[in-house]
Amino acid sequence: MNRIDDIVKTLKTIASDPRKAVEDYKKKTGKGAVGVMPPYAPEEIVYAAGFLPVGMWGAEKKPIAKARAYLPPFASSIAQSIMELELEGYYDNLDAVIFSVVSDTLKCMSDKWHGKAPVVVFTHPQNRKIAAAVPFLVEEYRLLTYKLEQILKVRIKEEALQNAIEVYNANRKVMREFSDLAALHLDLITPAARHAVIKARWYMDKAEHTKLVEALNDELRKAPASAFKGKRVVTTGLQVEPDDVLDIFQEFGFGIVADDVADESRQFRLDVPAGNDALTRLAKWWQDFDGCPFATDPLKPRGQMIIDLAKKHGADAVIVCMMKFCDPEEWDYPILVKEFDAAGLANIMIEIDQEVNSFEQIRTRIQTFADVLS
Amino acid sequence: MSEQEKAAPQDVDSMSAKEMLAYYQAKLDGDAREAKKAGKLVCWSASVAPPEMCVAMDIAMVYPETHAAGIGARKGSQDLLDIVEQKRGYSVDICSYARVNLGYMELLMEYAKTGVKPQKLIDSPAADVPLPDLVITCNNICNTLLKWYETIAKELNIPCIIIDVPFNHDMPVPEYAKDYIAEQIKEAARKLEVICGRPFDWDRFLEAQKQTQRSVAEWNRLATLACNKPSPINGFDFFNYMALIVCARSLPYAEKTFRKYADELEENMRNGKFAMGANEQVRVTWEGIAVWTYLGQTFKTLKGHNALMAGSAYPGIWNLSYRPGDLKSMGEAYTRVYINTCAENRSRELAAVVRNSKSDGLIMHQNRSCKLMSLLNMEGGEHVRESLNVPYVIFDGDQTDPRNFAPAQFETRVQSLMEIVEKK
């Protein structure tokens, strides 16, 4: 049991102070780091360049002050937080920053960067299922690779890219295993612990992260059957933070059995497919990827995917974690609710605001939801 | 001559441009209703999605953005916003064009289900348009149009044609992006063959392309006329005529109406008649969508300062010039829309509008409904100020949600701009 706690603690330390984690990595390895804006980017290209890809998912409870001059109040909470960090120089230890532009806010944010690191932008195709989407994205990735090579002064070779994909796929596999094992041990893996294990992968060499999570998974496999008596839930949304929110889940007896969260399982629920050309492999991942509001699909399979996930793990309910002013997520919500209701799947929506310090409204909603479910 | 044109009264050519505008707007809605009754297909379309493919297949088109703008201008948007927010749970943070449209769609769905026309539909000033059999969308003016049309397709269980024009983070548009868009046009043609159950009509498609180019040429002629100082046209009129470049650019209606209007304006200029008579003292560029719910208010505020809206980058979105028969050229026209390009290009295009329209000031709409047209306002304004020494102000508003616009703030901002202009 102590080994589980030790590993979770190690990962939590990394997840709770990304800047220190990056600084420590740079000191230890002598390598640099490249920022990756949410939600999706081919991190493997950065890894193949010999740099650490670092997630840029804002900050918990960061008061927004300077960003007010650059963004209107109706820009999403995470965008406000990132802008505040940019203006404070938080990202100035990065060698470059990669922007995808899957939302209108991201398109604008990519053009109003206030950090020191150079920005590289690429565009995902949105008519994703047709054959022509792949060669387009391959060319975007080729351009991205070329620009990174210029900025980072390295050559990114095919062999390194293929190797990076294998490292990442290994991490994806071990993360899926972790998520399933956590669902069997909700007494040991609290919502906050689960999030820390997942979040840490944004600030670590993926190979190192894989080793730690493999060890954690081994311990979980050995652990006795769970005595968890609470409610089993699936979370969905862009992000479930700050930790106070996850602690409220725990307080009212909720355990997370699976998630459809952008900075969590959406990153690793699908492997990069096999193939001879690394950039084509990475492009095909985007074509195969489903169930995300940032990846256009008129069939909108997200609701059914979550329902299937809930069934697989015997979940009692879904908690929709709505990032404030994130309209792609807001667009999906009414249809999700309709589908959850039709499937008899209990659900509730809470608003995620990275800036807030008071969680009483969420507490009340979750407490009421717990009462309804019991 | 198209079927629609044959059906038009013989005296349509003798109408004034203003009468033609009203006539053709009503006719387009009527054509859609007639098509629905006759069992033909109706397509709802994003405003800058290419209509050429659907027109080639004789599909009636309806444009929800224009429809919503009309509802907003007739003070009918709040009722529809209430329906979609309260009954369907759509957030107030979502684009108000979309919410108005989904509110209207909700009423149409209720009508179709019950056979009883809902009272709110009877009371609404909305133009009467039918439910779609398919939708076509294009993200050249925002990614919201992907989410919005995904939603319509899902709610109604109908086909959705997507023309994805990837955001141009660098300019010029790369060849591989043009290839990707050209392939999507071919894919749309294949999809339409399945939907319509007959081969795609490439000859009519070419005709629709040629017609689009004639419409665009007359549209651009109007834009050039506004650059005259004094100007024979106020930009607010441009906003009204925009309905036809959106809804009828691949039909003869837009070309005919714009030609008539441009002829009238040139005649006025020859006779010394200008939009503001002898009162044109200040010229401004308006950046962003109109505040449709307060169109009169915004017009009057500027008029009160003898200020003419001489330019706007927004109507220039429909400067969709390309070579008919060349799909890559067509793809480039639809993707190079200024708000689908990097800030450097956006700012350059905005500055060109300010310069060409000989504007003394720039008014920028911080539109609660449109992040893409709002989040770079300050950068665009600063570029104009630095490169042209033209001042700018930003006001808070919304295209069709009346709750997000405060007339007093608008008046104060305009007054501030006028004072700065005066001091110069």
Side-chain angles (χ1 to χ4, degrees):
Chain A
M1 215 60 73
N2 284 339
R3 179 73 176 132
I4 291 176
D5 290 344
D6 286 349
I7 297 171
V8 169
K9 194 178 168 193
T10 301
L11 293 171
K12 199 162 195 164
T13 303
I14 290 166
S16 61
D17 194 348
R19 190 180 168 87
K20 183 174 182 305
V22 172
E23 289 298 341
D24 289 348
Y25 172 88
K26 288 170 81 168
K27 268 182 214 157
K28 187 178 156 192
T29 63
K31 293 179 180 177
V34 172
V36 179
M37 279 288 287
Y40 310 108
E43 288 176 60
E44 290 89 338
I45 297 175
V46 176
Y47 194 85
F51 283 70
L52 178 71
V54 179
M56 297 167 66
W57 292 83
E60 297 188 10
K61 296 187 269 191
K62 176 90 188 153
I64 305 301
K66 298 182 183 73
R68 301 275 183 231
Y70 295 92
L71 287 173
F74 54 89
S76 67
S77 167
I78 187 169
Q80 307 273 7
S81 178
I82 293 167
M83 178 61 79
E84 189 73 19
L85 293 169
E86 280 176 32
L87 292 162
E88 286 189 351
Y90 186 87
Y91 298 125
D92 288 347
N93 63 348
L94 300 172
D95 295 277
V97 167
I98 298 175
F99 265 87
S100 68
V101 285
V102 289
S103 76
D104 294 330
T105 299
L106 282 165
K107 289 176 195 173
C108 297
M109 291 280 284
S110 74
D111 267 322
K112 53 196 298 165
W113 172 252
H114 292 277
K116 283 183 183 162
V119 165
V120 186
V121 187
F122 76 100
T123 307
H124 286 99
Q126 289 292 349
N127 204 346
R128 301 179 306 118
K129 300 295 180 183
I130 66 168
V134 173
F136 170 80
L137 188 51
V138 168
E139 289 308 314
E140 283 289 289
Y141 285 168
R142 207 183 304 286
L143 188 59
L144 170 66
T145 305
Y146 171 76
K147 287 180 179 176
L148 284 175
E149 285 180 334
Q150 301 303 306
I151 293 167
L152 305 175
K153 298 181 175 53
V154 292
R155 280 279 293 134
I156 302 173
K157 294 181 179 163
E158 174 69 16
E159 192 185 345
L161 283 167
Q162 293 281 4
N163 177 56
I165 291 172
E166 297 319 313
V167 169
Y168 270 67
N169 273 351
N171 185 261
R172 290 182 178 104
K173 181 171 177 283
V174 82
M175 290 310 297
R176 291 194 295 270
E177 287 169 357
F178 165 71
S179 182
D180 286 350
L181 286 163
L184 299 174
H185 296 284
L186 297 175
D187 51 341
L188 302 176
I189 304 296
T190 64
R194 182 182 186 279
H195 181 59
V197 172
I198 298 172
K199 188 177 177 182
R201 68 190 290 280
W202 286 107
Y203 315 112
M204 292 177 70
D205 184 316
K206 288 289 186 297
E208 296 300 317
H209 185 260
T210 300
K211 277 184 209 164
L212 277 172
V213 180
E214 265 174 352
L216 178 61
N217 288 350
D218 286 343
E219 294 300 320
L220 287 172
R221 284 189 192 96
K222 287 185 274 182
S226 169
F228 182 76
K229 302 284 185 210
K231 295 294 175 189
R232 302 163 65 82
V233 297
V234 175
T235 48
T236 180
L238 187 75
Q239 193 180 34
V240 192
E241 282 191 11
D243 271 358
D244 306 64
V245 176
L246 295 158
D247 291 341
I248 291 170
F249 291 174
Q250 187 187 354
E251 182 184 341
F252 292 103
F254 291 103
I256 298 174
V257 293
D259 77 83
D260 164 55
V261 175
D263 70 342
E264 298 185 10
S265 287
R266 283 188 206 158
Q267 300 291 332
F268 53 76
R269 68 186 177 204
L270 186 70
D271 277 349
V272 171
N276 295 324
D277 178 68
L279 297 186
T280 305
R281 293 178 70 186
L282 293 170
K284 281 186 172 169
W285 181 88
W286 177 247
Q287 186 171 50
D288 295 343
F289 181 59
D290 278 321
C292 172
F294 296 95
T296 303
D297 187 346
L299 298 175
K300 292 183 87 71
R302 181 180 171 194
Q304 191 55 51
M305 287 170 70
I306 295 168
I307 292 165
D308 291 345
L309 206 55
K311 278 183 189 162
K312 180 184 166 190
H313 293 282
D316 301 294
V318 177
I319 301 179
V320 179
C321 302
M322 184 63 67
M323 177 63 67
K324 190 176 182 180
F325 293 125
C326 177
D327 46 295
E329 288 280 353
E330 288 169 342
W331 265 110
D332 277 6
Y333 180 64
I335 289 176
L336 286 181
V337 170
K338 202 165 128 184
E339 292 180 333
F340 295 157
D341 290 348
L345 185 57
N347 61 88
I348 191 171
M349 190 260 275
I350 56 169
E351 186 174 77
I352 298 294
D353 184 347
Q354 289 197 345
E355 188 187 5
V356 298
N357 260 306
S358 167
F359 299 92
E360 289 313 305
Q361 195 181 18
I362 290 177
R363 182 188 301 280
T364 307
R365 285 180 69 77
I366 292 297
Q367 184 175 16
T368 308
F369 191 51
D371 290 344
V372 169
L373 291 175
S374 59
Chain B
M1 187 177 280
S2 71
E3 288 300 311
Q4 291 94 334
E5 204 180 16
K6 278 180 200 166
Q10 292 304 309
D11 60 353
V12 67
D13 289 338
S14 64
M15 290 178 181
S16 69
K18 196 175 175 183
E19 288 167 340
M20 282 173 93
L21 172 66
Y23 171 77
Y24 280 128
Q25 277 186 280
K27 181 169 170 48
L28 286 162
D29 295 338
D31 289 348
R33 290 194 299 272
E34 288 304 313
K36 194 77 174 179
K37 267 188 209 157
K40 291 162 83 175
L41 296 173
V42 174
C43 178
W44 282 10
S45 172
S47 64
V48 202
E52 291 88 335
M53 293 88 79
C54 288
V55 167
M57 295 301 274
D58 198 24
I59 295 170
M61 306 296 283
V62 170
Y63 290 83
E65 290 154 78
T66 304
H67 188 245
I71 295 167
R74 293 183 209 106
K75 312 288 182 194
S77 55
Q78 189 60 61
D79 282 347
L80 299 174
L81 295 170
D82 290 344
I83 290 169
V84 80
E85 288 160 18
Q86 292 162 15
K87 198 169 171 187
R88 300 307 294 267
Y90 283 95
S91 166
V92 292
D93 305 333
I94 288 172
C95 163
S96 63
Y97 273 172
R99 280 181 286 136
V100 168
N101 174 245
L102 293 177
Y104 184 78
M105 188 175 95
E106 181 71 22
L107 294 177
L108 288 186
M109 286 164 72
E110 188 184 329
Y111 186 20
K113 195 176 167 187
T114 62
V116 181
K117 200 167 193 176
Q119 191 59 42
K120 286 203 168 175
L121 192 57
I122 295 168
D123 296 341
S124 175
D128 181 7
V129 295
L131 280 169
D133 302 292
L134 71 152
V135 290
I136 180 167
T137 192
C138 180
N139 52 343
N140 46 11
I141 55 169
C142 64
N143 273 24
T144 293
L145 282 160
L146 295 173
K147 300 306 295 177
W148 177 359
Y149 281 69
E150 240 187 24
T151 299
I152 298 173
K154 178 80 175 181
E155 292 266 15
L156 298 177
N157 191 25
I158 57 174
C160 177
I161 294 173
I162 297 169
I163 304 295
D164 168 37
V165 292
F167 177 70
N168 296 290
H169 46 76
D170 294 306
M171 288 295 275
V173 178
E175 288 301 313
Y176 62 86
K178 294 182 208 169
D179 288 335
Y180 170 51
I181 302 165
E183 283 303 314
Q184 291 180 80
I185 295 169
K186 290 181 201 165
E187 178 67 24
R190 284 191 286 272
K191 225 173 176 175
L192 285 172
E193 287 184 336
V194 175
I195 294 166
C196 299
R198 60 181 190 277
F200 187 74
D201 193 332
W202 287 102
D203 293 335
R204 285 191 68 178
F205 174 70
L206 183 62
E207 283 310 308
Q209 286 186 310
K210 288 177 182 170
Q211 177 58 68
T212 304
Q213 293 313 296
R214 291 194 294 272
S215 302
V216 166
E218 292 297 331
W219 179 245
N220 289 344
R221 192 179 152 209
L222 284 175
T224 307
L225 282 169
C227 295
N228 285 290
K229 190 176 178 177
S231 171
I233 179 173
N234 194 319
F236 282 94
D237 295 323
F238 233 8
F239 281 149
N240 290 329
Y241 280 84
M242 214 162 63
L244 287 185
I245 194 67
V246 172
C247 305
R249 62 183 175 273
S250 295
L251 297 171
Y253 311 159
E255 179 198 357
K256 285 174 68 169
T257 307
F258 298 157
R259 182 181 298 119
K260 170 74 86 171
Y261 192 34
D263 289 347
E264 287 176 5
L265 294 171
E266 285 175 354
E267 177 68 17
N268 286 347
M269 283 178 66
R270 280 193 291 275
N271 295 328
K273 285 166 80 177
F274 300 98
M276 296 189 71
N279 294 329
E280 183 190 305
Q281 290 178 8
V282 180
R283 296 166 68 88
V284 297
T285 288
W286 177 290
E287 170 60 358
I289 302 173
V291 184
W292 294 109
T293 49
Y294 285 91
L295 200 59
Q297 181 99 22
T298 48
F299 169 75
K300 282 176 196 160
T301 301
L302 287 173
K303 195 180 171 195
H305 290 278
N306 293 321
L308 174 107
M309 191 207 295
S312 176
Y314 185 54
I317 284 173
W318 286 271
N319 174 17
L320 298 160
S321 306
Y322 62 81
R323 290 184 299 280
D326 181 344
L327 292 185
K328 284 178 70 170
S329 166
M330 181 179 167
E332 184 184 10
Y334 277 94
T335 193
R336 68 170 179 242
V337 169
Y338 81 112
I339 49 173
N340 196 42
T341 65
C342 55
E344 189 186 348
N345 189 66
R346 273 177 78 146
S347 296
R348 199 166 43 228
E349 291 208 17
L350 178 62
V353 170
V354 174
R355 190 176 52 246
N356 295 339
S357 64
K358 305 173 186 72
S359 289
D360 307 296
L362 170 63
I363 297 175
M364 310 186 87
H365 183 183
Q366 189 89 327
N367 185 346
R368 185 75 168 65
S369 274
C370 188
K371 286 174 176 160
L372 193 55
M373 292 198 80
S374 296
L375 267 58
L376 287 169
N377 271 352
M378 193 182 69
E379 287 76 4
E382 283 298 312
H383 176 78
V384 166
R385 192 178 61 78
E386 285 165 12
S387 61
L388 301 175
N389 193 26
V390 168
Y392 73 95
V393 288
I394 299 175
F395 72 94
D396 298 304
D398 194 290
Q399 54 213 28
T400 39
D401 190 333
R403 295 166 294 189
N404 295 327
F405 176 78
Q409 191 217 46
F410 180 75
E411 285 162 20
T412 312
R413 298 286 158 90
V414 169
Q415 196 175 0
S416 305
L417 182 69
M418 295 306 149
E419 284 170 11
I420 300 167
V421 168
E422 207 173 297
K423 276 182 190 164
K424 274 179 69 187

